[in-house]
Amino acid sequence: MEAYQEFHRRSIEDRDAFWRDEAALIDWQTPFSEVLDYSRPPFAKWFVGGRTNLCHNAVDRHLQSRAAQAALIYVSTETGQRHTYTYAELHDEVNAWAAMLKSQAVGRGDRVLIYMPMIAEAVFAMLACARIGAIHSVVFGGFAAASLATRIDDAKPSVLITADAGMRAGKTIAYKPLVDEALSIARHPPKKVILVDRGLVPFTRTEGRDLDASTLREQHRGARVPCEWLESSEPSYILFTSGTTGQPKGVQRDTGGYAVALASSMRRIFCLAPGETMFTTSDIGWVVGHSYIVYGPLINGSPTIMYEGLPIQPDPGIWWKIVEEHKVKTMFSSPTASRVLKKQDVSYMKRHDVSSLSYLFLAGEPLDEPTARWANEALGVAIVDNYWQTETGWPILAAQLGVEDTPRKFGSPSFPVYGYDVKLVDTLTGKDVGTDEKGVIAIEPPLPPGCMTTVWGNDERFVSTYFETIPGRQLYSTFDWATRDADGYYFVLGRTDDVINVAGHRIGTREIEEAVQAHPAIAEVGVVGVRDEIKGQVPVAFAVAKDASRVADGAGKAALAREVMQTVDRELGAIARPAQVHFVTLLPKTRSGKLLRRSIQALAESRDPGDLTTIEDPSALTQIREALAKA
Ligand code: AMP
């Protein structure tokens, strides 16, 4: 492991020289004068004074050598649509979209909210924003109107880009009514909405506000819009993520640091040479989509596959068919998707020639050993578990096979990635823990290039949320538990806070509780994450009805449970819908009124509820046991 260790050591101990070398992987319009300005900890400014542009690095700079090479390969098994855009075609589209945005007075520093299904126009819109220096904020299309409105009010976009509908499992999901509702409740609605009409569902237009994307695009066909050269620290995008409060945080990303981190990671972690194809099965609404569907592969000069559809339709061989057709070298997916595929007949995999594939990267949630082993045996490729967060934008822990082919251990995302000075610390004492001892994963600041630079519009929240939780030390907390074995391998054990992970998607239990409480018949509720064979975890709610007679019998309970689920769908989105809603008359709390979530979760997972010396009324636990037994 010498090569890896030396590489990592240099990134920390000889930081400036290390990152100066990595920064040469991208184009700079103006060279930076200083590698890092860390005069105001924990705020880090990378590549000070350097001017660059994400769109230039992702598109324009490849025109000379790769104009006719595939850039964006679009495949939808929902609509049957397929289209490959070369770098030259992508350049044309992005320029047209940039001109469209400019025609709506969008400029440098303005926000553009993108609420889109997995269609190529979403990528054009993101890159167009980057081109003109506008800050995009992509909101996952599965979020409901109220969640969208919260994010609109935080980002205050001047334009919102959407489509008539998304599609999932052959069913259309109308987006336009959700957007209309969100705009009617938002306090800072954008003045204009640009809508891509896929012809999937009818919708109504608001005169003077809603603009048709294809009409606008025709008007700007052939336009050329120069890249806006941004100072390295200027924001490129905002991406909202859940925390322990009901209010999502806008993770703010810079421009130069992000471009360098992605360019570097493509070589050193994802082992992809320019021209080789990447297939990331995430969604543009998530950080993996931003970094490894859109920016990372394109900055690298690699074709990237954008897929709309399920992993099992039209049949469970679809991803392997895509791998075969496009000679995919590196694939990036989630443990949940792997568990879904693991349940299918293995013959689907064998029908396709996947010999081009060298790596399957999996991230977003703990990768259990049986799934990792299965994927390794079935595909015969390296399975690379990697651990990171929306906040960091690229992996914190991963084997860095482009640096050294270190052996992997199932169940472990291996070691700290270069640039990250990772510590495992005791949350009570703040001291480093020893071998095989449990601690929280923390990062000694400055955070490396590519990581969040602040919480959008709230520096104070950035510092207090992430850097003030470990006693006596200013460390970035990931809020994840882990251990490290004698060989230096990390094993991630789960969150320290009230955030749960459903199919690789992070959701705050508080957010779900607030959504449940939007139902007028609910007095109080506790939501916990319960282990699930496929999704890793699912939310389960324990609710107290205002009027006990409504839940006096099984039929009443079932009816109210259904209504509660619909309320969560409406307030937050179906990804947050509780798998079960149980009714009790009392929730287990401490004498000071704090909900005993860990005990509820333990009971729901048939484990011991733990230390109950502080419980106000033990009968609350009996009720939880009874509710679970009856379910
Ligand atoms: P998100 O910001 O939505 O990407 O979620 C990040 C969270 O997902 C982390 O804080 C972890 O709790 C979890 N996570 C991500 N990758 C892994 C992994 N490889 N192993 C275990 N947990 C992971």
Side-chain angles (χ1 to χ4, degrees):
M1 282 202 296
E2 265 171 38
Y4 155 70
Q5 278 167 345
E6 173 51 22
F7 197 75
H8 186 269
R9 189 203 58 74
R10 190 168 168 259
S11 75
I12 305 296
E13 291 175 11
D14 200 2
R15 190 174 55 209
D16 285 14
F18 179 92
W19 285 110
R20 191 179 290 283
D21 289 349
E22 297 303 287
L25 289 168
I26 68 156
D27 275 4
W28 295 90
Q29 187 256 354
T30 306
F32 48 91
S33 54
E34 201 186 342
V35 173
L36 172 68
D37 171 0
Y38 196 51
S39 56
R40 196 165 70 99
F43 297 91
K45 287 187 169 175
W46 287 95
F47 311 116
V48 185
R51 291 189 176 270
T52 187
N53 181 287
L54 277 177
C55 182
H56 167 83
N57 277 287
V59 184
D60 299 50
R61 75 161 169 157
H62 303 301
L63 291 179
Q64 224 175 9
S65 52
R66 322 190 165 272
Q69 179 207 293
L72 180 67
I73 301 170
Y74 180 71
V75 180
S76 172
T77 51
E78 297 288 352
T79 60
Q81 200 195 343
R82 282 167 170 261
H83 193 84
T84 295
Y85 299 86
T86 62
Y87 272 94
E89 287 162 345
L90 183 60
H91 184 250
D92 286 345
E93 293 291 349
V94 169
N95 270 283
W97 275 80
M100 284 160 61
L101 290 173
K102 286 203 124 176
S103 75
Q104 299 310 310
V106 178
R108 186 169 183 161
D110 293 337
R111 275 80 58 211
V112 173
L113 197 134
I114 299 177
Y115 182 72
M116 297 271 259
M118 287 288 280
I119 54 177
E121 286 82 353
V123 175
F124 306 155
M126 289 169 78
L127 290 166
C129 288
R131 189 170 194 87
I132 63 172
I135 301 168
H136 61 65
S137 177
V138 183
V139 174
F140 175 61
F143 279 119
S147 308
L148 178 57
T150 313
R151 287 154 175 80
I152 290 172
D153 284 336
D154 203 68
K156 303 188 182 64
S158 46
V159 165
L160 185 148
I161 304 175
T162 190
D164 56 338
M167 265 188 97
R168 197 176 154 78
K171 283 204 212 90
T172 52
I173 304 150
Y175 279 28
K176 185 60 175 28
L178 293 176
V179 168
D180 288 340
E181 193 189 335
L183 295 189
S184 74
I185 47 184
R187 282 173 291 117
H188 303 279
K191 291 204 175 62
K192 299 286 176 190
V193 173
I194 298 177
L195 185 134
V196 177
D197 183 2
R198 308 176 76 188
L200 295 178
V201 292
F203 59 89
T204 50
R205 251 183 242 287
T206 300
E207 215 45 56
R209 185 195 74 184
D210 297 350
L211 307 166
D212 177 54
S214 67
T215 313
L216 268 181
R217 188 183 160 285
E218 275 315 301
Q219 288 163 7
H220 297 281
R221 178 191 286 279
R224 285 291 175 265
V225 178
C227 289
E228 192 76 37
W229 300 108
L230 303 183
E231 201 280 334
S232 180
S233 290
E234 282 185 64
S236 55
Y237 68 74
I238 309 167
L239 183 54
F240 288 95
T241 191
S242 298
T244 41
T245 68
Q247 186 69 23
K249 290 182 287 275
V251 166
Q252 180 175 321
R253 196 90 60 208
D254 73 352
T255 297
Y258 187 53
V260 170
L262 292 184
S264 167
S265 68
M266 290 310 299
R267 307 278 175 101
R268 315 213 182 276
I269 302 175
F270 296 97
C271 304
L272 202 70
E276 291 177 335
T277 305
M278 181 143 186
F279 179 16
T280 298
T281 68
S282 183
D283 186 284
I284 47 142
W286 308 118
V287 69
V288 176
H290 282 63
S291 293
Y292 297 110
I293 294 176
V294 184
Y295 291 111
L298 293 175
I299 287 173
N300 196 51
S302 290
T304 182
I305 293 174
M306 181 182 201
Y307 175 71
E308 181 187 50
L310 298 179
I312 49 169
Q313 279 184 3
D315 67 54
I318 179 64
W319 283 0
W320 317 118
K321 185 163 181 265
I322 292 172
V323 167
E324 177 177 20
E325 281 173 5
H326 298 285
K327 305 230 168 349
V328 173
K329 162 101 178 282
T330 293
M331 203 166 157
F332 189 157
S333 190
S334 67
T336 290
S338 308
R339 286 189 291 264
V340 167
L341 290 173
K342 182 168 155 235
K343 292 192 101 167
Q344 316 295 324
D345 190 340
V346 74
S347 69
Y348 285 109
M349 207 175 249
K350 305 282 174 217
R351 281 183 211 170
H352 302 283
D353 174 7
V354 294
S355 58
S356 62
L357 197 65
S358 298
Y359 306 96
L360 173 60
F361 286 83
L362 296 171
E365 55 181 312
L367 173 62
D368 54 292
E369 182 172 338
T371 304
R373 222 175 253 292
W374 166 82
N376 182 247
E377 281 161 19
L379 283 170
V381 302
I383 305 299
V384 189
D385 182 0
N386 58 116
Y387 159 86
W388 46 299
Q389 309 181 304
T390 305
E391 286 84 345
T392 65
W394 65 298
I396 304 168
L397 298 174
Q400 292 134 71
L401 302 179
V403 177
E404 184 182 349
D405 189 4
T406 50
R408 264 96 52 220
K409 290 190 187 184
F410 288 121
S412 166
S414 298
F415 323 112
V417 167
Y418 56 92
Y420 290 93
D421 190 2
V422 176
K423 311 277 178 204
L424 265 191
V425 294
D426 185 303
T427 46
L428 295 177
T429 65
K431 294 215 168 69
D432 290 2
V433 301
T435 300
D436 294 328
E437 280 173 13
K438 180 170 150 179
V440 65
I441 305 175
I443 304 165
E444 181 85 49
L447 296 176
C451 291
M452 81 187 289
T453 47
T454 189
V455 170
W456 171 254
N458 201 338
D459 284 354
E460 200 278 316
R461 193 172 176 200
F462 173 63
V463 179
S464 62
T465 304
Y466 295 104
F467 292 92
E468 290 180 348
T469 62
I470 298 182
R473 295 168 84 176
Q474 193 184 51
L475 296 178
Y476 169 89
S477 176
T478 61
F479 302 99
D480 281 303
W481 295 114
T483 58
R484 181 178 48 225
D485 72 9
D487 300 324
Y489 287 77
Y490 284 71
F491 293 82
V492 182
L493 305 171
R495 300 280 303 191
T496 64
D497 56 10
D498 294 327
V499 167
I500 62 172
N501 194 314
V502 182
H505 305 316
R506 175 167 151 192
I507 309 171
T509 46
R510 283 272 185 83
E511 273 177 274
I512 308 179
E513 285 166 6
E514 283 177 20
V516 171
Q517 263 160 339
H519 191 294
I522 301 298
E524 227 188 336
V525 64
V527 172
V528 296
V530 176
R531 198 173 299 129
D532 180 83
E533 204 198 323
I534 296 288
K535 295 181 175 176
Q537 280 188 310
V538 290
V540 172
F542 294 87
V544 178
K546 281 185 189 155
D547 174 1
S549 68
R550 272 203 72 170
V551 289
D553 58 21
K557 282 183 186 148
L560 189 53
R562 249 192 328 273
E563 285 180 27
V564 164
M565 291 179 191
Q566 283 161 358
T567 306
V568 175
D569 284 4
R570 203 178 53 242
E571 292 289 315
L572 259 181
I575 48 165
R577 181 196 305 157
Q580 292 157 16
V581 181
H582 300 289
F583 293 98
V584 291
T585 60
L586 181 71
L587 288 168
K589 288 188 185 164
T590 62
R591 278 184 280 278
S592 56
K594 203 169 166 290
L595 188 65
L596 286 163
R597 277 176 222 274
R598 304 267 165 229
S599 305
I600 304 177
Q601 183 189 35
L603 289 179
E605 292 183 344
S606 311
R607 289 184 286 113
D608 184 86
D611 178 16
L612 294 171
T613 45
T614 58
I615 194 166
E616 162 96 70
D617 183 346
S619 76
L621 286 182
T622 314
Q623 285 205 31
I624 300 250
R625 277 199 193 90
E626 284 171 4
L628 287 163
K630 278 191 205 134

